[in-house]
mmCIF file of all heavy atoms in Angstrom:
data_model
loop_
_atom_site.group_PDB
_atom_site.id
_atom_site.type_symbol
_atom_site.label_atom_id
_atom_site.label_comp_id
_atom_site.label_asym_id
_atom_site.label_seq_id
_atom_site.Cartn_x
_atom_site.Cartn_y
_atom_site.Cartn_z
ATOM 1 N N ARG P 30 -11.654 5.112 -11.120
ATOM 2 C CA ARG P 30 -10.457 5.807 -10.611
ATOM 3 C C ARG P 30 -10.796 7.349 -10.358
ATOM 4 O O ARG P 30 -9.835 8.063 -9.996
ATOM 5 C CB ARG P 30 -9.397 5.767 -11.644
ATOM 6 C CG ARG P 30 -8.842 4.379 -11.864
ATOM 7 C CD ARG P 30 -7.578 4.358 -12.777
ATOM 8 N NE ARG P 30 -7.178 3.014 -13.180
ATOM 9 C CZ ARG P 30 -6.434 2.180 -12.374
ATOM 10 N NH1 ARG P 30 -6.039 2.644 -11.222
ATOM 11 N NH2 ARG P 30 -6.124 0.981 -12.720
ATOM 12 N N VAL P 33 -13.162 10.599 -6.272
ATOM 13 C CA VAL P 33 -12.853 11.691 -5.361
ATOM 14 C C VAL P 33 -12.002 12.718 -6.196
ATOM 15 O O VAL P 33 -11.125 12.345 -6.949
ATOM 16 C CB VAL P 33 -12.084 11.186 -4.188
ATOM 17 C CG1 VAL P 33 -11.645 12.392 -3.261
ATOM 18 C CG2 VAL P 33 -12.910 10.227 -3.343
ATOM 19 N N PHE P 35 -9.351 15.589 -5.999
ATOM 20 C CA PHE P 35 -8.249 15.900 -5.049
ATOM 21 C C PHE P 35 -7.715 17.322 -5.377
ATOM 22 O O PHE P 35 -7.776 17.857 -6.471
ATOM 23 C CB PHE P 35 -7.064 15.002 -5.150
ATOM 24 C CG PHE P 35 -7.321 13.635 -4.588
ATOM 25 C CD1 PHE P 35 -7.231 12.459 -5.349
ATOM 26 C CD2 PHE P 35 -7.623 13.478 -3.230
ATOM 27 C CE1 PHE P 35 -7.412 11.208 -4.765
ATOM 28 C CE2 PHE P 35 -7.846 12.156 -2.637
ATOM 29 C CZ PHE P 35 -7.775 11.044 -3.401
ATOM 30 N N ARG P 37 -3.943 18.971 -5.176
ATOM 31 C CA ARG P 37 -2.584 18.454 -5.147
ATOM 32 C C ARG P 37 -1.629 19.397 -4.424
ATOM 33 O O ARG P 37 -1.632 20.591 -4.587
ATOM 34 C CB ARG P 37 -2.095 18.267 -6.567
ATOM 35 C CG ARG P 37 -0.684 17.756 -6.736
ATOM 36 C CD ARG P 37 -0.433 16.889 -7.920
ATOM 37 N NE ARG P 37 -1.124 15.618 -7.770
ATOM 38 C CZ ARG P 37 -1.050 14.584 -8.659
ATOM 39 N NH1 ARG P 37 -0.345 14.765 -9.784
ATOM 40 N NH2 ARG P 37 -1.664 13.422 -8.477
ATOM 41 N N VAL P 49 4.363 13.821 -3.816
ATOM 42 C CA VAL P 49 3.049 14.328 -4.224
ATOM 43 C C VAL P 49 2.011 13.892 -3.275
ATOM 44 O O VAL P 49 1.794 12.677 -3.086
ATOM 45 C CB VAL P 49 2.714 13.966 -5.633
ATOM 46 C CG1 VAL P 49 1.329 14.424 -6.064
ATOM 47 C CG2 VAL P 49 3.838 14.477 -6.602
ATOM 48 N N LEU P 50 1.321 14.851 -2.666
ATOM 49 C CA LEU P 50 0.177 14.559 -1.804
ATOM 50 C C LEU P 50 -1.095 14.999 -2.474
ATOM 51 O O LEU P 50 -1.154 16.062 -3.076
ATOM 52 C CB LEU P 50 0.287 15.298 -0.430
ATOM 53 C CG LEU P 50 1.583 15.031 0.370
ATOM 54 C CD1 LEU P 50 1.556 15.821 1.637
ATOM 55 C CD2 LEU P 50 1.800 13.557 0.663
ATOM 56 N N ASP P 51 -2.161 14.173 -2.397
ATOM 57 C CA ASP P 51 -3.459 14.519 -2.916
ATOM 58 C C ASP P 51 -4.462 14.621 -1.775
ATOM 59 O O ASP P 51 -4.591 13.637 -1.013
ATOM 60 C CB ASP P 51 -3.912 13.509 -3.945
ATOM 61 C CG ASP P 51 -3.131 13.747 -5.261
ATOM 62 O OD1 ASP P 51 -3.045 14.893 -5.692
ATOM 63 O OD2 ASP P 51 -2.649 12.731 -5.850
ATOM 64 N N HIS P 52 -5.070 15.786 -1.617
ATOM 65 C CA HIS P 52 -5.974 16.013 -0.475
ATOM 66 C C HIS P 52 -7.447 16.191 -0.943
ATOM 67 O O HIS P 52 -7.642 16.736 -2.016
ATOM 68 C CB HIS P 52 -5.586 17.383 0.254
ATOM 69 C CG HIS P 52 -4.231 17.458 0.665
ATOM 70 N ND1 HIS P 52 -3.680 16.828 1.758
ATOM 71 C CD2 HIS P 52 -3.104 18.126 0.209
ATOM 72 C CE1 HIS P 52 -2.417 17.100 1.934
ATOM 73 N NE2 HIS P 52 -2.045 17.913 1.011
ATOM 74 N N ILE P 64 -3.889 7.853 3.448
ATOM 75 C CA ILE P 64 -3.962 6.561 2.703
ATOM 76 C C ILE P 64 -2.678 6.249 2.002
ATOM 77 O O ILE P 64 -2.145 7.187 1.281
ATOM 78 C CB ILE P 64 -5.182 6.564 1.767
ATOM 79 C CG1 ILE P 64 -6.505 6.802 2.526
ATOM 80 C CG2 ILE P 64 -5.199 5.212 1.006
ATOM 81 C CD1 ILE P 64 -7.662 6.835 1.605
ATOM 82 N N HIS P 66 -1.016 3.751 -0.758
ATOM 83 C CA HIS P 66 -1.387 2.725 -1.814
ATOM 84 C C HIS P 66 -0.357 1.610 -1.833
ATOM 85 O O HIS P 66 0.609 1.584 -1.159
ATOM 86 C CB HIS P 66 -1.473 3.482 -3.132
ATOM 87 C CG HIS P 66 -0.157 4.082 -3.636
ATOM 88 N ND1 HIS P 66 0.904 3.346 -4.097
ATOM 89 C CD2 HIS P 66 0.265 5.365 -3.679
ATOM 90 C CE1 HIS P 66 1.831 4.129 -4.413
ATOM 91 N NE2 HIS P 66 1.545 5.360 -4.155
ATOM 92 N N GLY P 70 0.738 1.637 -7.312
ATOM 93 C CA GLY P 70 -0.517 2.300 -7.221
ATOM 94 C C GLY P 70 -0.364 3.740 -7.181
ATOM 95 O O GLY P 70 0.762 4.320 -7.538
ATOM 96 N N SER P 71 -1.353 4.519 -6.773
ATOM 97 C CA SER P 71 -1.295 6.012 -6.651
ATOM 98 C C SER P 71 -2.592 6.440 -5.909
ATOM 99 O O SER P 71 -3.403 5.683 -5.480
ATOM 100 C CB SER P 71 -1.269 6.599 -8.009
ATOM 101 O OG SER P 71 -2.536 6.602 -8.640
ATOM 102 N N ALA P 72 -2.707 7.756 -5.806
ATOM 103 C CA ALA P 72 -3.977 8.332 -5.273
ATOM 104 C C ALA P 72 -5.211 7.999 -6.090
ATOM 105 O O ALA P 72 -6.303 8.059 -5.642
ATOM 106 C CB ALA P 72 -3.791 9.834 -5.067
ATOM 107 N N TYR P 73 -4.910 7.692 -7.408
ATOM 108 C CA TYR P 73 -5.973 7.334 -8.325
ATOM 109 C C TYR P 73 -6.102 5.757 -8.516
ATOM 110 O O TYR P 73 -6.819 5.341 -9.406
ATOM 111 C CB TYR P 73 -5.796 8.038 -9.639
ATOM 112 C CG TYR P 73 -6.002 9.498 -9.541
ATOM 113 C CD1 TYR P 73 -4.930 10.357 -9.212
ATOM 114 C CD2 TYR P 73 -7.237 10.019 -9.651
ATOM 115 C CE1 TYR P 73 -5.211 11.704 -9.093
ATOM 116 C CE2 TYR P 73 -7.496 11.408 -9.535
ATOM 117 C CZ TYR P 73 -6.444 12.289 -9.243
ATOM 118 O OH TYR P 73 -6.667 13.630 -9.105
ATOM 119 N N SER P 74 -5.554 5.006 -7.652
ATOM 120 C CA SER P 74 -5.747 3.549 -7.690
ATOM 121 C C SER P 74 -7.244 3.276 -7.301
ATOM 122 O O SER P 74 -7.862 4.022 -6.616
ATOM 123 C CB SER P 74 -4.828 2.837 -6.665
ATOM 124 O OG SER P 74 -3.463 2.928 -7.090
ATOM 125 N N LEU P 75 -7.699 2.118 -7.762
ATOM 126 C CA LEU P 75 -9.061 1.784 -7.557
ATOM 127 C C LEU P 75 -9.390 1.664 -6.124
ATOM 128 O O LEU P 75 -10.417 2.207 -5.647
ATOM 129 C CB LEU P 75 -9.385 0.467 -8.294
ATOM 130 C CG LEU P 75 -9.182 0.575 -9.797
ATOM 131 C CD1 LEU P 75 -9.078 -0.801 -10.471
ATOM 132 C CD2 LEU P 75 -10.326 1.368 -10.492
ATOM 133 N N HIS P 76 -8.567 0.968 -5.297
ATOM 134 C CA HIS P 76 -8.808 0.842 -3.875
ATOM 135 C C HIS P 76 -8.637 2.187 -3.130
ATOM 136 O O HIS P 76 -9.395 2.466 -2.191
ATOM 137 C CB HIS P 76 -7.965 -0.295 -3.296
ATOM 138 C CG HIS P 76 -8.300 -1.564 -3.851
ATOM 139 N ND1 HIS P 76 -9.432 -2.291 -3.571
ATOM 140 C CD2 HIS P 76 -7.537 -2.486 -4.579
ATOM 141 C CE1 HIS P 76 -9.450 -3.457 -4.154
ATOM 142 N NE2 HIS P 76 -8.329 -3.598 -4.742
ATOM 143 N N THR P 77 -7.674 2.917 -3.499
ATOM 144 C CA THR P 77 -7.406 4.209 -2.889
ATOM 145 C C THR P 77 -8.630 5.112 -3.061
ATOM 146 O O THR P 77 -9.091 5.725 -2.115
ATOM 147 C CB THR P 77 -6.133 4.908 -3.424
ATOM 148 O OG1 THR P 77 -5.077 4.037 -3.339
ATOM 149 C CG2 THR P 77 -5.835 6.185 -2.688
ATOM 150 N N GLN P 78 -9.128 5.134 -4.254
ATOM 151 C CA GLN P 78 -10.330 6.037 -4.539
ATOM 152 C C GLN P 78 -11.525 5.535 -3.774
ATOM 153 O O GLN P 78 -12.332 6.347 -3.240
ATOM 154 C CB GLN P 78 -10.607 6.043 -6.062
ATOM 155 C CG GLN P 78 -9.687 6.895 -6.866
ATOM 156 C CD GLN P 78 -10.042 8.338 -6.757
ATOM 157 O OE1 GLN P 78 -11.201 8.745 -7.075
ATOM 158 N NE2 GLN P 78 -9.080 9.190 -6.353
ATOM 159 N N GLY P 79 -11.720 4.214 -3.758
ATOM 160 C CA GLY P 79 -12.864 3.622 -3.045
ATOM 161 C C GLY P 79 -12.869 4.014 -1.517
ATOM 162 O O GLY P 79 -13.880 4.384 -0.998
ATOM 163 N N ALA P 81 -11.028 6.425 -0.182
ATOM 164 C CA ALA P 81 -11.048 7.854 0.016
ATOM 165 C C ALA P 81 -12.507 8.369 -0.045
ATOM 166 O O ALA P 81 -12.901 9.239 0.713
ATOM 167 C CB ALA P 81 -10.275 8.523 -1.100
ATOM 168 N N THR P 92 -6.031 12.426 2.932
ATOM 169 C CA THR P 92 -4.767 12.736 2.185
ATOM 170 C C THR P 92 -4.209 11.406 1.620
ATOM 171 O O THR P 92 -4.097 10.416 2.376
ATOM 172 C CB THR P 92 -3.652 13.359 3.029
ATOM 173 O OG1 THR P 92 -4.185 14.662 3.528
ATOM 174 C CG2 THR P 92 -2.381 13.536 2.310
ATOM 175 N N ALA P 93 -3.970 11.343 0.327
ATOM 176 C CA ALA P 93 -3.365 10.205 -0.262
ATOM 177 C C ALA P 93 -1.859 10.563 -0.526
ATOM 178 O O ALA P 93 -1.566 11.482 -1.209
ATOM 179 C CB ALA P 93 -3.979 9.792 -1.557
ATOM 180 N N LEU P 94 -0.947 9.719 -0.009
ATOM 181 C CA LEU P 94 0.471 9.886 -0.319
ATOM 182 C C LEU P 94 0.808 9.003 -1.583
ATOM 183 O O LEU P 94 0.599 7.836 -1.626
ATOM 184 C CB LEU P 94 1.293 9.330 0.891
ATOM 185 C CG LEU P 94 2.806 9.033 0.619
ATOM 186 C CD1 LEU P 94 3.493 10.314 0.159
ATOM 187 C CD2 LEU P 94 3.460 8.527 1.862
ATOM 188 N N ASN P 95 1.355 9.654 -2.557
ATOM 189 C CA ASN P 95 1.835 8.965 -3.770
ATOM 190 C C ASN P 95 3.325 8.650 -3.483
ATOM 191 O O ASN P 95 4.170 9.613 -3.316
ATOM 192 C CB ASN P 95 1.708 9.834 -4.986
ATOM 193 C CG ASN P 95 0.303 10.219 -5.311
ATOM 194 O OD1 ASN P 95 -0.370 9.405 -5.980
ATOM 195 N ND2 ASN P 95 -0.230 11.317 -4.875
ATOM 196 N N PHE P 96 3.653 7.412 -3.415
ATOM 197 C CA PHE P 96 5.084 7.120 -3.258
ATOM 198 C C PHE P 96 5.902 7.556 -4.475
ATOM 199 O O PHE P 96 5.369 7.774 -5.557
ATOM 200 C CB PHE P 96 5.277 5.551 -3.108
ATOM 201 C CG PHE P 96 4.769 5.016 -1.803
ATOM 202 C CD1 PHE P 96 3.626 4.195 -1.730
ATOM 203 C CD2 PHE P 96 5.330 5.365 -0.619
ATOM 204 C CE1 PHE P 96 3.181 3.716 -0.598
ATOM 205 C CE2 PHE P 96 4.838 4.912 0.571
ATOM 206 C CZ PHE P 96 3.718 4.064 0.639
ATOM 207 N N CYS P 99 5.232 7.350 -8.364
ATOM 208 C CA CYS P 99 3.931 6.764 -8.563
ATOM 209 C C CYS P 99 2.803 7.748 -8.878
ATOM 210 O O CYS P 99 1.703 7.336 -9.281
ATOM 211 C CB CYS P 99 3.512 5.938 -7.338
ATOM 212 S SG CYS P 99 4.495 4.469 -7.085
ATOM 213 N N ALA P 100 3.030 9.031 -8.614
ATOM 214 C CA ALA P 100 1.971 9.998 -8.817
ATOM 215 C C ALA P 100 1.554 10.073 -10.288
ATOM 216 O O ALA P 100 2.368 10.063 -11.177
ATOM 217 C CB ALA P 100 2.438 11.409 -8.353
ATOM 218 N N ARG P 101 0.280 10.201 -10.555
ATOM 219 C CA ARG P 101 -0.277 10.294 -11.847
ATOM 220 C C ARG P 101 -0.679 11.697 -12.169
ATOM 221 O O ARG P 101 -0.987 12.461 -11.253
ATOM 222 C CB ARG P 101 -1.468 9.347 -12.043
ATOM 223 C CG ARG P 101 -1.207 7.921 -11.987
ATOM 224 C CD ARG P 101 -2.442 7.098 -12.083
ATOM 225 N NE ARG P 101 -2.273 5.638 -11.965
ATOM 226 C CZ ARG P 101 -2.212 4.824 -12.954
ATOM 227 N NH1 ARG P 101 -2.380 5.200 -14.206
ATOM 228 N NH2 ARG P 101 -2.034 3.506 -12.771
ATOM 229 N N LEU P 106 -4.548 10.061 -16.491
ATOM 230 C CA LEU P 106 -4.120 9.109 -15.502
ATOM 231 C C LEU P 106 -3.191 8.044 -16.071
ATOM 232 O O LEU P 106 -2.576 7.255 -15.303
ATOM 233 C CB LEU P 106 -5.334 8.432 -14.860
ATOM 234 C CG LEU P 106 -6.259 9.411 -14.105
ATOM 235 C CD1 LEU P 106 -7.366 8.593 -13.425
ATOM 236 C CD2 LEU P 106 -5.459 10.182 -13.041
ATOM 237 N N ARG P 109 2.490 8.859 -15.548
ATOM 238 C CA ARG P 109 3.043 8.911 -14.204
ATOM 239 C C ARG P 109 4.172 9.942 -14.143
ATOM 240 O O ARG P 109 4.916 10.057 -15.161
ATOM 241 C CB ARG P 109 3.604 7.573 -13.747
ATOM 242 C CG ARG P 109 2.483 6.508 -13.538
ATOM 243 C CD ARG P 109 2.999 5.275 -12.922
ATOM 244 N NE ARG P 109 2.012 4.225 -12.824
ATOM 245 C CZ ARG P 109 1.305 3.981 -11.677
ATOM 246 N NH1 ARG P 109 1.493 4.812 -10.632
ATOM 247 N NH2 ARG P 109 0.418 3.038 -11.621
#
Side-chain angles (χ1 to χ4, degrees):
R30 296 186 187 276
V33 176
F35 287 121
R37 177 150 290 184
V49 176
L50 305 180
D51 285 312
H52 305 285
I64 301 178
H66 61 77
S71 75
Y73 289 91
S74 295
L75 298 162
H76 293 295
T77 308
Q78 283 281 306
T92 295
L94 164 60
N95 297 275
F96 291 113
C99 291
R101 294 177 184 258
L106 297 183
R109 292 188 183 266

